[in-house]
Structure formats: structure tokens, C-alpha cells
Amino acid sequence: MSTVTPGETAPRGDELTPVSARSLADLLAADERPARPGPFAASMAFGWRAMLKIKHVPEQLFDVTVLPVMLVLMFTHLFGGALAGSPREYIQYLLPGVMVMSVVMTTMYTGIAINNDIDKGVFDRFRTLPVWRPATVVGYLLGDVLRYSIASVVMLTAGLVIGFRPDGGAVGVVAGILLLIVFAFSFSWIGTMFGLLVRDEKTVMGASMTVIFPSNFLSDIFVDPATMPGWLRTLVDHNPITHVASAVRGLMDGHWPGAEVAWTLGWSAALVAVFGSLTVRLYNRK
Amino acid sequence: MADRPGVGAPPAGPAIEAVGLVKTFGADRAVDGVDLTVQAGTVYGVLGPNGAGKTTTVKMLATLLRPDGGQARIFGHDVVREADTVRGLVSLTGQYASLDEDLTGLENLVLLGRLTGLSKRSARERAGRMLEAFALVDAAGRQVKNYSGGMRRRLDIAASLLNTPALLFLDEPTTGLDPRSRNQVWDIVRAIVDLGTTVLLTTQYLDEADRLASRIAVIDKGRVIAEGTKGELKASVGSGSVHLRLRDPGQRAEAERVLALHLAAEVQLDVDPVALTARVGDAGGDRGAAERASRVLAELARRGITVDTFSLGQPSLDEVFLALTDRRAGAGGAPADVKEGAPA
Ligand SMILES: Nc1ncnc2c1ncn2[C@@H]1O[C@H](COP(=O)(O)OP(=O)(O)O)[C@@H](O)[C@H]1O
Ligand SMILES: [Mg+2]
């Protein structure tokens, strides 16, 4: 507690003054003038914030733990018998795709988190700091990378339990997950743009779902496009999610899907270039 | 950062110089040509009712909103062209606490410390001392969402001081606080100013501006309708009033006649059946007012009217504010030039 010393503002009635003017003076007089943090340091600080939020609000991990496991079990048993003869066979095809779907769905939360920050006013405080401006968003995405990793590992574990046997071994699986995380990081910028663009959280969710839902289902996640009618097949083949799912599936399956990996990385770069710069522009304009 | 004005040594020249600031939202001119000059090392009050444009003005000065017209300089740096430099000099404590509710008080301060360039360890150390100075040590480990309004406000101000700003904006720092927390915030503001930091404070409370600010701008509907020191503002509506309490309510009618006769002013009968209030009139300045008041007292005594308490006060800023807004409504919005009527 602060103590009242002569020279400080006199206490009113029986209460002590809450600020100790003397210690405040010491603090403000300290001639410690650190250099402004660079873009990397600022992003890391915001990344630390994202970790703390996960620590304090662990409920938010529901959508990267319980939900993905549900999806794996549900789709495997729902479609397994009809599409591949048995759930056990189907999961060899399905699991990498469901991982892609769950992780891509999670990207929505980045936009929601940013929208919340704007609402709560903490965003304004960050914007009056003389730091590299995209750092706030990059920090969130760093926290999200952790969430994507958790989701991937949880689903992989669930898959292994019910019979997923990747021929690519540990190397293939890790490579697949890394590629997925790179893509999800890039895809998240769509959510951040919505987070800055629209007024409230529900709209962010709606807008994100409008992008995420069709792009997941109009892909090769559930069925081989070879079974689809021509026009649909063209659409599915050009969907970036198809490239990602094929690449991840290929890596986990033990062969090197060079073209699909290249498409995935190309799409990732394009998403960052377009939605990253839109996000930064919106951020500066807010 | 050699050009950074430090604490304790306010740089020469004004901290804020704004000329003709305009911000429109659609057809609504939220800020409609505001001029402000704030000298370094002072507390400047921006006083105005809800919706007057205070927050919008502050946001433009703190680089959060881009002005649609006019310009503003903070310690000589343009808020649009040199926004980054300005951000290194100012801090803003917004009208609503701008903290991360999920994080603890300590974590909020450590985060902001790191963002001003401190290492994790020095950020932690500085945050700890800041919490101590603001008597928040006990709450350091609690999430901000569990803080009371007063604690939140204190943490918010602490967060704004982490980067040792040369200019601090406090947007309605006590709105919604209980009287005790309000007093605490006032103490904090005084402590900050004693250390040389310039403060621009917005408020809806005349009382608050009266206690803290040395100069005040009164704004209404996006325009500055009066500006000056407290004394100048008060002088602009004329001198003060006498307030009397009689022993016998039965004598009030007679006392009213005496006051009306000697002060040539309208006498107001208060709700309290023994109390009356009247303007003293401003001829002859303060001394003239005192003379007239004492003549009234003598006359009352001569007539055998017993006065229990008597006070002669300057007009309150409340009266000033009402007078200014009335005058403006009548005069079609011409700013009141309060300096003319000011005593030398
Ligand atoms: N973002 C905004 N969009 C539209 N109108 C706004 C916005 N911010 C403020 N206003 C309007 O501008 C006017 C001034 O608001 P504000 O600066 O918040 O006043 P004060 O802080 O004095 O209460 C009000 O009429 C308010 O409705
Ligand atoms: Mg306001």
C-alpha cells in the first residue's frame, strides 16, 4: 500500500491517497529511454499476449480440441461405409482433409478477436503506440499458429486411435502439418480483414463462414473429384483448399506431391499479399 | 531520441496547437473548427456536454482519427504527417478503459512495457513499480475483467504512463466513477502534472475542470464557445452572488425586499424556507460587490432580521456554463470572447 508522506496530496477523511506521488516521480523521472521495438520484437510481444489469452481463457480451445475430434468421428462413420467400403479404409483418405477443414474453420476466430479488441477500446491503445502497425495482427496469428498445431495434433491422435496409418511416417505427417499451418496462417488474413471491416462479431462470423463453408465442401476433402460431374470437378480442382488437402494427404501418404505443395505455397503467398495488405490498409484507416 | 521533450523539463512552445480542426461523420459535423493552444506543463480542461465533440477532438490530436480539415501540432509535430513521432510523445486514456480484460493487471502493463521497447525483465520490473505507485499490488494477478471501475481507471492511467509521455490525454477520466474513486483520479492527475507532464483533460463536470485545469475551453456542438483561465471565464458572466440563511422563516419576505432594493437584482428564494440567493452585480469589481453585500447585511441588522449564515461567492463554473450556452443559443453561435471582460 502507499504511504502518505509530507508533501503528498493530503488524504481526505480517513482514506489514503492511492497514488504515491513519490514513487510515481521516480518512475517517470527514470531516464531509461529504450529504443522503440522493431517489427519482430513488437510482433513477439503481441504473440505473448495471444498465449496469455489462451492461458486465461482455455475454453477457447474447445474449437481446436473437442470439435475436430467430433468431426473426425462423425465423417468417418457417416460416410465411411458408403464411400470407401469401411470407416477404417475411408479414414486413410479423409483424415488429412478433415484436418485442413478444421484448421481453416478456426481461422475465423482471428477476425473475431480483432473485432473484439476494437469494441473494447484496447485496439485504440495499441494504435497510439509508435510500433510497427501490423504487429498486433501478426501477434494474434502467432497465437493462432499454436491453436492450429494443437488442433492438428489432437485430430492426428484421434485418427491414429481409430485406425489411421500414414505411410509417410513421422516425417510425412510433420511435413503435412507444417504445410497446413503455413496455409492457415495465410488464410487467416481473410478473417482479419473482415474483423476490421465489419461492425460486430456476428457479422465477422457470418462473413467468414460464407467464405469458409463452400470452400471446404467444394473441395476434395470428402470425395475424390473423379466422381463429380465435369463443371463441379473444374470448380473443385481450382479450389485452393483442394490443393492444400491433396498436398497434406500426399505428404502423409508418403509420396512427394510437388505440384500440390507448390500450389499451396503459391496460394498462401497470394492470400498474404492481397488480404495482408488490405488488412494493413484498413488498420491504418480505422 | 534527442528531440523528445522529457519529463521535468517541459520544452518551450506549446504542447498542442490546433487550428480549425474539423471532423465530419456523414452530414454530422462532430468537430466544427476547433482551435486549441495548450502550453506545456499545464492541465488544460476541455469542458462540454455529452456529444459536444470532445472524444473526437482528442482522437484527432492523438493520431487515432484523421482530421477532415484544419491542422494540429503536438510539440511542433504534425499529427498527420508525423504521426509516428507524435505517438512517441503522447498517451491516451480513453473514455472507456482500453485494457485487455482477459489479462491480469500485471500482464497488461508488462505487455505495454515491452511494446515501448523494454526487455521482458525491465518491463516486468517497471510494471511492478507502477502497480505499487497506483496501489494495485494486491490486484496485480487478477484479470482486469474482475476489477472495479476505479481500479480499472487507475490501471488505465498507469498503462498510459508506462512510456513516460510528454503529453497525456485523459478523456472523461472520472465519468461513471464513485466520489471516492473520483478523488483518487484527481490526486493522480495532480501528481502527474507536478512531474511536468502536460495533461489535456476532457470532462462534463464543471467541478472537475474547476479543480484541475488552469485553462479551460468550453465546447458545444463541435465548437469552442469560450476559452480562458478559470478567472476569466467566471468574470465573463459577471460577479458572484450572496447566499443568506435567516433564523426566522417569517422574515424572509422582508429580507427579499431589502436585497432587491440594495442589489437591484432578482432574488431567488431557495427550497429551504430560510434561504435566499441574489446576484451582487459586477460594478466596481470584487471590492464593489463586497461593499454592496456588507451594506445589505447592515440594513438587515438594522431591521432586526437575524442572519445565521452568509456567504459571498464567485459564480460557479456551472453558472458560467449555463450563461455561455444560453448566450450562444440567443446569439446564433458567436463565440464568447471572455478575455475582454477579464479583470487585469
Ligand atoms: N464513429 C462515429 N461515427 C458517427 N458519428 C460519430 C462517431 N463518433 C462520434 N460521432 C458523433 O459525433 C458527435 C461528437 O461525439 P463525441 O466526440 O464522442 O462527443 P463527446 O466525447 O463530447 O461526448 C456526436 O454527435 C456523436 O454521435
Ligand atoms: Mg466522449
Side-chain angles (χ1 to χ4, degrees), chain A residues 189-254:
Chain A
W189 291 95
I190 299 179
T192 60
M193 179 195 68
F194 285 139
L196 289 163
L197 195 61
V198 303
R199 211 172 284 270
D200 62 48
E201 177 176 319
K202 278 192 195 115
T203 321
V204 180
M205 209 183 269
S208 304
M209 269 325 228
T210 312
V211 175
I212 291 172
F213 215 68
S215 61
N216 272 309
F217 281 92
L218 297 176
S219 76
D220 74 341
I221 287 180
F222 297 103
V223 288
D224 191 331
T227 62
M228 298 171 188
W231 61 272
L232 185 60
R233 190 172 167 186
T234 316
L235 192 68
V236 168
D237 279 345
H238 289 89
N239 179 354
I241 302 288
T242 301
H243 292 299
V244 184
S246 305
V248 174
R249 197 181 297 117
L251 287 168
M252 291 192 175
D253 207 26

Side-chain angles (χ1 to χ4, degrees), chain B residues 25 28 30 49-56 95 172:
Chain B
F25 295 109
D28 179 15
N50 214 350
K54 302 183 294 295
T55 299
T56 309
Q95 188 169 355
E172 299 199 19

Side-chain angles (χ1 to χ4, degrees), chain A residues 74-204:
Chain A
M74 208 170 75
F75 288 122
T76 310
H77 290 94
L78 200 63
F79 300 150
L83 296 177
S86 78
R88 203 184 148 90
E89 236 158 278
Y90 185 50
I91 197 173
Q92 312 303 329
Y93 178 86
L94 177 77
L95 190 78
V98 170
M99 282 172 76
V100 172
M101 182 171 90
S102 303
V103 170
V104 166
M105 267 162 61
T106 317
T107 61
M108 177 168 71
Y109 293 95
T110 319
I112 292 175
I114 287 175
N115 199 264
N116 258 322
D117 276 358
I118 298 174
D119 241 28
K120 292 268 157 64
V122 67
F123 197 74
D124 274 350
R125 180 175 295 289
F126 296 149
R127 287 194 335 131
T128 48
L129 296 171
V131 297
W132 185 60
R133 298 201 125 197
T136 322
V137 180
V138 174
Y140 259 124
L141 294 177
L142 291 176
D144 287 337
V145 164
L146 178 73
R147 292 152 55 83
Y148 306 151
S149 314
I150 293 174
S152 305
V153 170
V154 165
M155 278 185 288
L156 181 70
T157 311
L160 290 172
V161 168
I162 61 170
F164 179 60
R165 293 294 174 265
D167 291 337
V171 175
V173 168
V174 170
I177 290 177
L178 286 179
L179 185 70
L180 171 56
I181 289 172
V182 168
F183 178 77
F185 176 88
S186 315
F187 196 88
S188 298
W189 291 95
I190 299 179
T192 60
M193 179 195 68
F194 285 139
L196 289 163
L197 195 61
V198 303
R199 211 172 284 270
D200 62 48
E201 177 176 319
K202 278 192 195 115
T203 321
V204 180

Side-chain angles (χ1 to χ4, degrees), chain A residues 12 20 49 53 56 125 127, chain B residues 64 100 107 133 156 187:
Chain A
R12 259 171 279 279
S20 142
R49 165 179 182 238
K53 280 177 106 76
H56 286 299
R125 180 175 295 289
R127 287 194 335 131
Chain B
L64 287 173
D100 190 326
E107 288 164 348
D156 210 17
D187 286 342

